[in-house]
Amino acid sequence: MPTLILLRHGRSTANTEGLLAGWTPGVALDERGAAQAGALPERLAAVPLAEIVTSPLQRCQETVAPLLAARPGLTPHTDDRIGECDYGDWSGRKLAELVDEPLMEVVQQHPTAAAFPGGESMRTMQHRAAEAVREWNARVERDHGPDAVYLMCSHGDIIKSLVADALGLHLDLFQRISVEPCSVTAIRYTRLRPYLLRLGDTGDFASLAPREKPAEGDAPVGGGAGAP
């Protein structure tokens, strides 16, 4: 079965403003995010991509644009099922304002029980994304062979949930996973089990350096802004 490269979109204006974007329209890459996207063709130059699938949201479409320009033979596919979690009434709100919401503790500690008001549950989010991957695995293998590699550009919580699915981790543990903007996560699927080959690889280790303000204990909902 194919190898899947999961690419988180580059840093967005919502990331830097501390907003939970969700499906809010008009959320674009910021200057750094555009530079991250511009570096993708070189970062992935050695990888023959059979297909590129992307979330319909603007920040993902902008992230893959330089890669598509460098590979004019590829036609992108848009799949709503790998779009961001629908945070409902939380969409567009400041993360700092959401910290004191009782639901936030559930999101952090027991995400299988978390459903966003006016939006979807985290279980639904993981299920739709995992079903999309399984269908694309079959399609890519059928059209390009079992050794093919394809790319999906998606969002932090989606990618974390897919990693948990691949590793057989309960969704309640997925907040222990971290993927930075424009990071590459690679999963090789086989008949019996998936193998995690890369996790949140940016090629940049700046985020590992100590920060003036210590990292919070909770996972950043939506994925966080990455290295300062």
Side-chain angles (χ1 to χ4, degrees):
M1 295 178 69
T3 296
L4 168 61
I5 293 176
L6 289 164
L7 171 68
R8 187 182 168 202
H9 61 78
R11 197 174 74 176
S12 72
T13 52
N15 292 145
T16 49
E17 292 170 9
L19 299 176
L20 187 61
W23 285 72
T24 304
V27 177
L29 298 183
D30 67 7
E31 185 176 351
R32 179 171 178 174
Q36 290 170 332
L40 283 172
E42 184 176 352
R43 286 177 64 196
L44 296 173
V47 184
L49 296 175
E51 301 281 2
I52 291 181
V53 187
T54 180
S55 156
L57 295 172
Q58 180 179 339
R59 52 198 183 274
C60 287
Q61 302 278 335
E62 291 179 351
T63 297
V64 299
L67 192 57
L68 289 166
R71 304 193 188 204
L74 284 177
T75 300
H77 305 274
T78 298
D79 194 323
D80 288 358
R81 294 173 297 176
I82 62 168
E84 180 63 287
C85 184
D86 183 355
Y87 299 116
D89 297 344
W90 280 23
S91 299
R93 291 182 61 187
K94 287 272 190 183
L95 285 164
E97 298 173 356
L98 295 170
V99 170
D100 295 328
E101 294 277 355
L103 178 60
M104 181 61 84
E105 186 177 16
V106 182
V107 170
Q108 293 293 329
Q109 304 298 334
H110 189 25
T112 51
F116 296 95
E120 69 180 336
S121 70
M122 302 200 93
R123 286 179 289 108
T124 300
M125 173 199 74
Q126 184 188 45
H127 177 74
R128 63 171 164 85
E131 285 301 302
V133 166
R134 287 173 174 83
E135 289 182 22
W136 276 102
N137 281 349
R139 177 173 173 174
V140 170
E141 181 174 12
R142 180 196 68 205
D143 294 345
H144 303 283
D147 297 323
V149 181
Y150 73 107
L151 180 144
M152 280 185 168
C153 184
S154 188
H155 307 265
D157 281 348
I158 295 287
I159 293 172
K160 288 162 56 177
S161 75
L162 289 171
V163 170
D165 177 77
L167 292 177
L169 290 176
H170 198 284
L171 184 61
D172 283 345
L173 302 179
F174 99 122
Q175 297 289 26
R176 303 182 185 193
I177 299 166
S178 177
V179 289
E180 291 199 5
C182 227
S183 64
V184 167
T185 294
I187 302 170
R188 178 174 295 138
Y189 289 86
T190 73
R191 186 173 66 87
L192 297 179
R193 65 178 64 87
Y195 292 89
L196 181 64
L197 307 179
R198 296 285 190 280
L199 176 61
D201 188 345
T202 62
D204 177 4
F205 297 103
S207 64
L208 301 180
R211 302 188 186 185
E212 292 183 9
K213 180 182 178 181
E216 299 292 337
D218 286 342
V221 180

